[in-house]
Every structure is written in structure tokens, then in C-alpha cells.
Amino acid sequence: MSRPEGRLPSDHRVRRRSVALFGGAFLASSLGLALDSLWLLGAGAWLLITAALLELVYRP
């Protein structure tokens, strides 16, 4: 993996977006489990899928 100072600003934006998606997935999934809400659990699953695909497709 390259050093952080060698990355482009677009790399940092994609990384922040991916971390935000993982955080949103965790929050939505945990709320869905706590409130017994299937649509929140599904939204969390889709956020997790999106974050994982972003990490797989865009490798800085």
C-alpha cells in the first residue's frame, strides 16, 4: 500500500465516502435490528454492498 502523502485528493474523497458508507451501514443495520425493522436492515445491507463494491472497484 502506498504512503498517504503520495495519494491524490480523489483517493482521499473515495476513501472518506467508503468509510461513510460503512458507518451508515452499521448504523442502519443496528437500528434495524434494535427496532425490528426489516426496511432499515435492508437499507443497511445495501449500504454495505455499495461500500464493498466501491472498495473493490476503486483501489488507490
Side-chain angles (χ1 to χ4, degrees), residues 2-59:
S2 61
R3 295 189 330 253
E5 61 268 0
R7 292 186 180 163
L8 297 174
S10 61
D11 297 337
H12 292 291
R13 283 194 302 268
V14 170
R15 183 70 177 161
R16 279 194 307 261
R17 186 170 294 145
S18 178
V19 168
L21 283 170
F22 275 121
F26 176 75
L27 182 65
S29 297
S30 61
L31 273 174
L33 286 173
L35 298 175
D36 199 27
S37 174
L38 192 58
W39 72 271
L40 267 175
L41 192 59
W46 279 109
L47 284 172
L48 183 64
I49 290 168
T50 305
L53 284 175
L54 184 65
E55 281 289 319
L56 286 174
V57 171
Y58 191 86
R59 291 273 179 161

